[in-house]
Amino acid sequence: MCGIAGIIHPENPRPVDPARVERMCDAIAHRGPDGAGVWTDHGIALGHRRLSIIDLEGSPQPMVSADGRAVIVFNGEIYNFRALRRELEKDGTRFLTDGDTEVILAAWQKWGEGCLSRLDGMFAFALYDLEKKQLLLARDRFGVKPLFMARLSDGGIAFASELKAILAHPLMRRSVDPLAVEEYMTWGYVPDHRSFLSGVEKLPAGHYRLFDMGKPAPQPRQWWDITFAERRKGKAADLEAELLHLMREAVQSRMVSDVPLGAFLSGGVDSSSVVALMAEGSVQPVTTCSIGFDVEAVDESSYAERIAALFGTDHKSRRVDPDDFGALDAIAAMFDEPFADASALPTWRVCQLAREHVTVALSGDGADEALAGYRRQVFQHHEDRLRSRIPAGIRSAILGPLASIYPKADWAPRPLRAKATLSALSVSGAEAYASAVSITGPDQRAALYSEAFLKARGDYRAEQPFIETMETAPARSGLDRAQYADLKFWLPSDILTKVDRTSMATSLEAREPLLDHRLVEFAAALPEGQRVSGREGKAILKRTMERYLPRDILYRPKQGFVMPIAEWFRGPLASSARQVARSKTLAALDWFDPKALSDLADRHISGRSDHGRILWQLVMLERSLGALGISDRK
C-alpha cells in the first residue's frame, strides 16, 4: 500500500523538475512512510511513497523492469500475483524480486492494456513504456484505490493518489466548481465524475488512460464493468455453497502478508462473516478492532465483543464521544474534498486502534452493495414491483398529489411513512431511488442556496447523472439498477474513499475481501429472491453464514456504522450548529442564504425537525474550505 504521484507533458514533451514530484510525494508521505523515490525521463516523472507489506526489502519503487523497458509506480495489492508470476515464468520471464509490482510490469509487457483484466486486486498505478513512449494510468474495478488528475497551466498533466499531492504543485489553481457544491449538498460527497476543484478529474473505477508522447491527452477508457443482466440457476443449497467457497477464497487471498494482519469488527453480519472465515483459516488468534459510542441506540460494541469471544480473537476496542469533535480539522485535511459521511471519524479511530497492533486490516465493506444489504434497496425492490402494476399516468396524477397533502412522519419506520411511499411510487424507480439515497432533495437545496448560487448552478441537478446511470444500467429489474448505481456512485465515492483516506492517514492497509470481483459478479447474477427475501436483504449471505454466526447477529435490524450526530447537535454540539449557520467563510462565498441556514439550525436544536445530517454537511464543508485554503474564492 502506497502513494503515487507524477507529471507528464504528452503533447509537447519537456523536462520535468524532479523536485516538484518530490514535493507532491511529500504531501502524501503518510501513505508510505517506509520509502520514497522519483524517476524521470524526457517529458515524464514518476514518484512513489512506500508502505511495505509484501517483499519488505526487495521491491523498491519506482521500479524498472528487468530489461529496462518499462517503469512503474503502484499503489495497492495484487492478490493473484503468484499465479500470474508462474504463468509468466513458463513463457520465459525472469523476475528479480518476490513482490507483486514486478509482476504488473511483466504482465504489461506480455499483454499490454489487456493485463488489467488479469489482475485480481486493488490498485492505481502509472506505468511508462520507454520503447513505446506510452504512459498507462489505471484504476481497479471498484475504485478501492484513488487516482486524481489535473491539467496544469504549462500544458502538463499531474496525477496522484490524493488531491493534496496535486495541490503541492505550484501551478495548480484552487477554484471551486459550483456544480461540485451541488453534488456535495445532495450526496454528502463529491462523486467520481466530478471534483471539488475546477480542472481536476478522478480516473473512474474500472478505467484507464493510455497517453502517447507527442499526441493529445486521451479520454479514459472503461476496461471492466459489472452486469446485472444475467441470472444464475441452481438449487438454493448449491448457490449457498458456491457463495461460501468464493468468500473463503477471497478472505484467504487477502490474508497473505509479511506484516501483522487483523480485522475491523463492528458486530454486524459482514465484518463478523469475514472474522469467522479468518478464524477458520488461521492457526493464531485473529486480532480484531472495534469502536463504540456513548449513545446506546447506535452502539454495537456488545455485538462485536460477542463475536470476538465466539471466535477467540485478540479483541481491542475504543469509544468515540462528542469530545472527538475537535478532530474534524484533521478529518477535513485527510479528505481534501468536503466529505460528510459521519462514520469517517469512528472509521479513523478504529484505523488508529488497528495500527497500534497490525499493519493490514480486513473489512466487511462491499457486501451491502453486492448483495442488497441496505434497507433502501429492499424498499426499492418492493416499491418497484408495485410501480410496475400501476400505470405511470395514474401514479403521477393521483399518488403524487396525494403525497403532497399527506402528513410527514419522519419519526415512523419507513414502511409506515405513507408520504414517503406515495412520493416514491408517483415517480420513476430511478427518481425515487435517487431521492432515497440523497441527503437533501432539490427543493430543500434550493431553499438553502443564495440567489447568486442558484444562477451559477443553472439547470443542473446532481440527481441527473445518478438517474441516467440507473436508466442505462445493464440490469433486469429495479433492484438490479439500484445496486448498480450504488456500486458506481456510493461505493467508490463514499465507502471506499472513507476507508482509503482514514486507513492511509494512519499508514494502515485496509483490504475488502467481500469486494472480490468474482464474488460480486456471482452476486449480481443471483435471482432477486436470493438477495432480498421479504424484508431481509443479503438473504443468501445470512443463510450461508448460519453455520458460523448466531441468528440474533444475522437477523437483527441493520444499524450501520454511524455517529449520533442528531443527538449531539441538540446537546453538547448545539453551539457548533449555530456557529456554522453563521459561518463567515460560508457567507463570504455567497453559496447559501444565511437566514435559511440559521432557521435550519434553530429547527434542529429545538427538536422540531431532524437536520443533523445537513448540519454535519455544512460543518465539514466549512472545515474542508479551511483545509484547502479557500475563503472567498469562488
Side-chain angles (χ1 to χ4, degrees):
M1 193 60 57
C2 307
I4 66 173
I7 300 169
I8 182 173
H9 290 270
E11 297 173 39
N12 298 294
R14 51 185 288 186
V16 178
D17 183 357
R20 289 188 171 179
V21 179
E22 288 176 5
R23 184 177 175 184
M24 293 170 69
C25 289
D26 288 345
I28 52 173
H30 53 277
R31 298 185 72 96
D34 298 331
V38 173
W39 174 93
T40 62
D41 194 55
H42 187 65
I44 187 169
L46 304 178
H48 189 263
R49 296 289 314 204
R50 187 184 188 202
L51 175 63
S52 300
I53 302 294
I54 293 174
D55 192 18
L56 303 185
E57 302 296 333
S59 296
Q61 295 188 49
M63 178 180 286
V64 180
S65 61
D67 61 6
R69 181 187 128 187
V71 61
I72 188 173
V73 287
F74 161 52
N75 169 28
E77 299 288 348
I78 306 301
Y79 303 119
N80 66 333
F81 80 95
R82 289 196 172 99
L84 287 174
R85 178 182 176 124
R86 288 192 293 270
E87 181 179 354
L88 291 162
E89 284 176 330
K90 288 180 181 178
D91 290 340
T93 302
R94 298 182 64 182
F95 292 90
L96 303 178
T97 69
D98 295 323
D100 52 357
T101 306
E102 191 179 10
V103 171
I104 302 175
L105 282 168
W108 158 262
Q109 291 177 306
K110 182 171 178 60
W111 298 301
E113 56 264 46
C115 71
L116 296 172
S117 62
R118 294 174 175 267
L119 302 178
D120 170 19
M122 54 179 182
F123 55 83
F125 64 78
L127 188 156
Y128 186 66
D129 191 306
L130 284 86
E131 288 188 353
K132 296 180 178 179
K133 301 297 181 184
Q134 290 181 325
L135 173 70
L136 175 67
L137 298 181
R139 194 174 178 203
D140 64 65
R141 293 169 177 83
F142 298 104
V144 178
K145 293 291 103 185
L147 191 59
F148 289 80
M149 306 165 292
R151 172 76 73 167
L152 303 172
S153 58
D154 65 355
I157 294 175
F159 52 89
S161 297
E162 295 184 25
L163 180 57
K164 60 174 58 67
I166 293 178
L167 291 175
H169 195 290
L171 297 183
M172 182 61 203
R173 298 173 181 172
R174 306 187 186 206
S175 176
V176 176
D177 179 353
L179 297 188
V181 178
E182 160 77 358
E183 302 273 9
Y184 171 73
M185 290 304 298
T186 304
W187 313 116
Y189 55 85
V190 181
D192 273 6
H193 63 262
R194 198 172 301 281
S195 174
F196 193 63
L197 298 184
S198 299
V200 177
E201 300 175 61
K202 303 164 191 171
L203 184 64
H207 282 67
Y208 71 89
R209 290 181 78 177
L210 187 61
F211 295 84
D212 286 282
M213 283 296 190
K215 295 183 180 179
Q219 292 300 309
R221 297 180 185 177
Q222 188 170 43
W223 65 269
W224 183 86
D225 195 12
I226 187 69
T227 178
F228 285 81
E230 301 172 0
R231 286 290 184 267
R232 291 289 301 269
K233 295 181 179 179
K235 297 179 180 179
D238 293 336
L239 293 174
E240 290 167 23
E242 187 170 355
L243 175 61
L244 181 58
H245 170 73
L246 289 168
M247 289 174 63
R248 278 177 174 152
E249 291 288 309
V251 168
Q252 291 303 309
S253 69
R254 284 154 180 81
M255 290 179 68
V256 176
S257 173
D258 293 336
V259 294
L261 176 143
F264 302 134
L265 177 59
S266 69
V269 175
D270 307 334
S271 65
S272 298
S273 297
V274 169
V275 168
L277 297 177
M278 290 177 73
E280 180 184 66
S282 177
V283 296
Q284 300 293 330
V286 176
T287 299
T288 54
C289 301
S290 69
I291 289 291
F293 300 100
D294 62 346
V295 176
E296 185 177 353
V298 296
D299 183 37
E300 294 186 284
S301 57
S302 62
Y303 297 107
E305 290 166 2
R306 282 186 58 197
I307 296 300
L310 180 63
F311 294 103
T313 74
D314 179 14
H315 191 59
K316 318 292 181 182
S317 63
R318 194 165 287 167
R319 188 168 295 276
V320 173
D321 59 40
D323 290 342
D324 273 10
F325 193 77
L328 293 195
D329 285 332
I331 293 287
M334 282 177 213
F335 287 87
D336 298 320
E337 295 186 306
F339 187 80
D341 186 332
S343 65
L345 178 54
T347 302
W348 180 40
R349 291 304 191 208
V350 79
C351 287
Q352 289 177 313
L353 175 61
R355 189 62 179 91
E356 293 172 9
H357 306 279
V358 300
T359 311
V360 177
L362 274 59
S363 80
D365 293 314
D368 286 321
E369 290 79 9
L371 287 158
Y374 292 120
R375 282 190 290 260
R376 64 177 184 253
Q377 295 167 334
V378 176
F379 293 137
Q380 178 74 7
H381 171 65
H382 294 302
E383 288 170 356
D384 210 64
R385 288 185 163 188
L386 281 173
R387 209 175 274 112
S388 67
R389 296 170 188 169
I390 306 173
I394 294 177
R395 289 192 287 107
S396 175
I398 297 177
L399 299 185
L402 186 58
S404 67
I405 63 174
Y406 206 93
K408 265 179 87 67
D410 290 340
W411 51 268
R414 172 68 183 270
L416 301 180
R417 291 186 228 159
K419 185 180 186 71
T421 301
L422 291 170
S423 296
L425 292 175
S426 69
V427 297
S428 71
E431 291 174 291
Y433 197 64
S435 178
V437 174
S438 66
I439 296 177
T440 59
D443 293 342
Q444 191 172 23
R445 298 195 302 275
L448 294 176
Y449 291 150
S450 67
E451 290 297 326
F453 186 80
L454 287 170
K455 184 177 180 180
R457 184 192 66 168
D459 294 332
Y460 181 78
R461 300 295 178 273
E463 293 88 352
Q464 293 166 4
F466 188 95
I467 290 169
E468 182 179 342
T469 296
M470 287 190 68
E471 291 176 343
T472 60
R476 295 174 58 169
S477 71
L479 177 63
D480 293 343
R481 284 185 280 274
Q483 288 185 250
Y484 183 83
D486 280 333
L487 285 164
K488 291 294 182 178
F489 269 73
W490 167 262
L491 181 70
S493 303
D494 186 301
I495 301 299
L496 297 178
T497 294
K498 174 184 65 180
V499 176
D500 175 79
R501 302 305 191 279
T502 54
S503 62
M504 286 284 87
T506 62
S507 300
L508 175 79
E509 176 173 305
R511 298 177 178 176
E512 295 84 4
L514 302 184
L515 273 179
D516 184 285
H517 70 278
R518 289 155 299 197
L519 192 160
V520 178
E521 288 168 349
F522 166 80
L526 286 170
E528 291 175 66
Q530 293 290 337
R531 288 174 268 157
V532 174
S533 178
R535 294 183 180 178
E536 290 290 339
K538 292 185 293 199
I540 187 174
L541 174 62
K542 294 173 182 178
R543 291 196 308 269
T544 299
M545 296 307 295
E546 284 180 359
R547 70 195 73 184
Y548 292 96
L549 303 174
R551 288 187 63 85
D552 63 331
I553 293 288
L554 289 168
Y555 295 102
R556 68 183 175 90
K558 183 177 178 63
Q559 286 184 242
F561 194 39
V562 296
M563 292 199 307
I565 53 175
E567 293 90 338
W568 287 353
F569 277 133
R570 291 193 182 106
L573 301 181
S575 61
S576 297
R578 291 190 176 94
Q579 182 179 3
V580 75
R582 303 185 184 100
S583 165
K584 292 181 179 180
T585 298
L586 296 183
L589 289 162
D590 196 20
W591 294 338
F592 302 102
D593 179 341
K595 185 178 184 304
L597 295 188
S598 183
D599 289 345
L600 183 90
D602 289 341
R603 289 197 304 272
H604 180 83
I605 294 168
S606 68
R608 286 176 287 158
S609 303
D610 184 355
H611 296 308
R613 292 182 70 187
I614 304 175
L615 287 168
W616 186 263
Q617 278 182 283
L618 294 168
V619 167
M620 294 310 301
L621 176 59
E622 182 187 44
R623 301 298 177 97
S624 297
L625 290 168
L628 289 169
I630 296 170
S631 54
D632 60 351
R633 283 178 285 180
K634 300 176 184 178

